[in-house]
Amino acid sequence: MSGQFEITGIDITVFIIYLALSRLIPLFFRGKNENSEDYFLGSRNFTWPLIGFSLIATNASGASFVGLAGAGYAQGISVYAYEWMTTVILVLFIFFLLPFYLRSRVFTLPEFLGRRYDGRSRMAFAGFNLFANMFIDMAAALYAGAIAFRVLFPDFSLFVIVVGLAVLAGVYTVIGGLSAVMVSDTIQASVVMLGGTLVFILVLIEAGGWQQATAAATEDQMSLILPAGDDALPWPGLFLGVLLNGLYYWTTNQLVVQRTLGARSLDHGRWGSIFAGFMKLAFLFLFILPGTFALGLYPNLDNPDLVFPTLAFDLLPIGIRGLMLAALIAAVTSTVDSILNSASTLVTMDFVQNFRPQTSQAALVNIGRITTVGALIVACIWAPTLASFESLYGYLQSVLAYVVPPIVAVFYIGILWPRINGLAAFVTLVGMIPLGVFFFIINEVIPDSAPIQFLYAAGISFAVSATVLVGISLLTGPPRDMERVREVTWSTEYWTQETEELRGTPLWKNYRFWAVALLISTAIIVVIFA
């Protein structure tokens, strides 16, 4: 195995053609975009296949290609915990939160939080979402794409590549809105899944079969469950940090949930989420195991995040590797375009329309486009700084572990217990999130200073946040309008009523059947690789 990157004219040609087509085709499906519902939610007409593919494309960005394969190389398959846990989280989502999101017909999750609590919580969460979109999600996606692109063109600076990717993503996002984004996501997700499958098969063949491929890895590197003292992913952290990170990302993050907010119906939103869950199970084979198997092929890689591009160049035929790398770059821009649409929706609907309700629909769409450009500029400036972190995936998961537990507490405790009031939610958000940022810097950014593993820190943060949330609510009394609050909180009545409605529905149309099938499939994989 050479590990050398030799680009050919055929690869470059395929690369350019695919990128051009993947940018132009979605514009033909952009819709009229005459009002905010058209532009930001695709007229609320998305079907379940589009939703499922878009959820995967938004998540399976270059950060998955580069980050998951790199983590598989550096620490083994235990990183799959973030993927299989997603299936459990999506089941919780479709039972507990999605019905209330769609019933309230909100544009954004901060808007929903405003209905559950008050305007203060809405503004606080909208501000955090914008921060996360630019400094966590978009910056990571741009950095991952730049790492892959430098495989092709190593003489380009990281910043120049980041700017180029941002422009590539921004152009059709500004023009096309969420409808164009969803079509682009479907194209990218399909190619990503096919490309990952091809790389997995080829690396298995090159390694000489399953036994030889796994021989270079240690027992811990081939296990999903690691000891409690493990530095990267201790097993108690699965039920603390991994679960909390996932609950935030998949169920309370505007970037991801916006796809389901545009669902044609609750059923389409649920089926799309379950479909995405089944595709997430395949990530072990598409991204993580190729990185782990590469230990035997490239035992001394300086940068684990280069393992997937290295495999692509060494194993894929000329032309196909150009397509694969183009798909990787396109996957990055698909994630970026999703983030841009999310950021522009937040600014437009949570700030502009909230404070200036008389703003015309045309003006709202234009403001959303201007916001897209602004968010791109901020992310471009921050993205190159991620090179200072040990690994991309480590950066993503550690920063989330410190800042998102208060959000999970506010959403889930609030949806399950009507007694939680607006003051408690606001204090929890504005007090605990900045505190999380502070401890992230102290524990993770300053060298050799981490006194506690970040997944354990997430559990502690959630416990403190829940105590603050419940304590303030008990001390200051119930919400002023309990009747309104009960309309956006879960009760067993919903389950009983829905059970009656589903009676007689064929199994293949019953989302509960598919949710159980998803959980059983997950359990089988976890048991096999535990």
Side-chain angles (χ1 to χ4, degrees):
M1 302 293 289
S2 67
Q4 299 297 312
F5 307 126
E6 297 177 3
I7 192 70
T8 69
I10 295 175
D11 288 319
I12 293 177
T13 301
V14 171
F15 183 86
I16 293 172
I17 290 174
Y18 179 83
L19 281 183
L21 290 177
S22 66
R23 303 302 88 187
L24 292 174
I25 291 173
L27 293 179
F28 290 100
F29 299 91
R30 65 182 183 272
K32 296 180 180 179
N33 290 332
E34 295 176 347
N35 56 52
S36 53
E37 190 166 73
D38 290 343
Y39 187 75
F40 296 119
L41 291 179
S43 305
R44 300 185 193 267
N45 197 37
F46 299 135
T47 56
W48 67 265
L50 276 177
I51 293 169
F53 277 122
S54 187
L55 286 171
I56 289 300
T58 301
N59 175 248
S61 66
S64 290
F65 269 114
V66 174
L68 281 178
Y73 182 91
Q75 71 185 64
I77 68 171
S78 60
V79 71
Y80 183 58
Y82 294 101
E83 312 308 311
W84 69 257
M85 188 67 79
T86 295
T87 64
V88 178
I89 290 162
L90 286 173
V91 170
L92 293 174
F93 172 59
I94 63 177
F95 279 112
F96 292 107
L97 284 183
L98 183 60
F100 295 101
Y101 288 163
L102 295 185
R103 188 178 296 125
S104 60
R105 294 189 65 81
V106 294
F107 278 82
T108 70
L109 300 190
E111 183 184 354
F112 176 81
L113 214 58
R115 295 192 184 186
R116 170 58 184 88
Y117 297 112
D118 53 36
R120 295 172 299 179
S121 298
R122 177 180 182 178
M123 292 299 99
F125 188 52
F128 170 80
N129 261 266
L130 283 172
F131 171 84
N133 279 175
M134 291 181 285
F135 291 98
I136 301 176
D137 301 315
M138 198 187 319
L142 289 172
Y143 172 73
I147 288 292
F149 198 85
R150 288 185 84 177
V151 170
L152 293 174
F153 305 103
D155 295 332
F156 281 71
S157 75
L158 199 65
F159 181 73
V160 169
I161 299 173
V162 163
V163 172
L165 291 172
V167 172
L168 196 63
V171 169
Y172 79 94
T173 308
V174 169
I175 297 172
L178 188 59
S179 293
V181 169
M182 294 286 279
V183 173
S184 171
D185 284 352
T186 300
I187 295 172
Q188 307 319 330
S190 302
V191 176
V192 163
M193 301 293 280
L194 290 172
T197 301
L198 183 58
V199 169
F200 171 74
I201 293 172
L202 291 177
V203 73
L204 198 59
I205 293 172
E206 185 68 29
W210 182 269
Q211 277 194 318
Q212 287 75 14
T214 57
T218 65
E219 185 177 344
D220 281 350
Q221 286 174 322
M222 286 302 298
S223 175
L224 290 180
I225 310 299
L226 298 179
D230 186 77
D231 291 335
L233 221 165
W235 71 261
L238 297 177
F239 308 101
L240 298 172
V242 175
L243 177 62
L244 292 170
N245 281 4
L247 285 172
Y248 160 74
Y249 182 85
W250 289 99
T251 72
T252 68
N253 182 0
Q254 177 70 23
L255 160 66
V256 175
V257 178
Q258 190 163 337
R259 278 104 198 83
T260 57
L261 296 182
R264 180 176 293 179
S265 67
L266 177 56
D267 276 340
H268 279 281
R270 281 171 162 164
W271 294 335
S273 300
I274 292 171
F275 181 39
F278 277 108
M279 286 190 282
K280 284 291 284 183
L281 289 180
F283 276 32
L284 174 63
F285 305 95
L286 303 185
F287 303 122
I288 299 170
L289 279 173
T292 305
F293 291 165
L295 286 166
L297 305 177
Y298 317 100
N300 299 307
L301 275 183
D302 292 332
N303 183 357
D305 286 338
L306 284 177
V307 67
F308 196 91
T310 302
L311 287 171
F313 263 83
D314 271 353
L315 300 180
L316 295 177
I318 291 174
I320 299 297
R321 66 189 185 188
L323 176 65
M324 193 68 229
L325 290 170
L328 194 159
I329 301 299
V332 170
T333 58
S334 277
T335 298
V336 174
D337 63 40
S338 300
I339 299 165
L340 290 173
N341 193 266
S342 167
S344 62
T345 306
L346 289 164
V347 170
T348 305
M349 307 309 296
D350 285 308
F351 291 101
V352 177
Q353 190 177 60
N354 190 33
F355 292 112
R356 299 190 63 183
Q358 73 276 14
T359 306
S360 69
Q361 290 294 311
L364 289 175
V365 171
N366 287 332
I367 291 169
R369 288 171 171 154
I370 294 169
T371 302
T372 297
V373 177
L376 270 176
I377 293 171
V378 174
C380 285
I381 295 171
W382 176 250
T385 66
L386 301 191
S388 62
F389 290 87
E390 185 175 345
S391 75
L392 176 61
Y393 216 73
Y395 163 76
L396 289 173
Q397 298 304 331
S398 62
V399 69
L400 288 177
Y402 283 95
V403 299
V404 304
I407 296 166
V408 175
V410 166
F411 268 88
Y412 276 88
I413 298 177
I415 205 75
L416 294 173
W417 193 27
R419 184 69 168 72
I420 303 297
N421 63 37
L423 176 63
F426 177 69
V427 171
T428 301
L429 292 173
V430 300
M432 293 300 298
I433 291 176
L435 197 61
V437 174
F438 172 76
F439 279 109
F440 169 73
I441 294 171
I442 294 297
N443 292 344
E444 305 294 334
V445 177
I446 299 175
D448 303 321
S449 63
I452 185 171
Q453 210 275 345
F454 68 86
L455 295 176
Y456 289 143
I460 294 170
S461 176
F462 180 80
V464 174
S465 299
T467 301
V468 171
L469 189 66
V470 172
I472 294 178
S473 295
L474 292 175
L475 290 172
T476 57
R480 292 180 181 177
D481 188 352
M482 284 296 290
E483 288 305 314
R484 180 181 64 84
V485 168
R486 286 193 179 94
E487 293 177 1
V488 288
T489 49
W490 194 86
S491 74
T492 55
E493 294 176 13
Y494 292 111
W495 179 269
T496 303
Q497 180 182 343
E498 186 183 72
T499 300
E500 288 299 316
E501 293 171 354
L502 290 172
R503 198 177 302 278
T505 302
L507 281 182
W508 65 275
K509 284 187 176 182
N510 189 329
Y511 84 94
R512 291 184 182 177
F513 166 78
W514 289 110
V516 172
L518 177 60
L519 293 177
I520 291 174
S521 302
T522 302
I524 291 172
I525 292 177
V526 171
V527 169
I528 289 173
F529 287 94

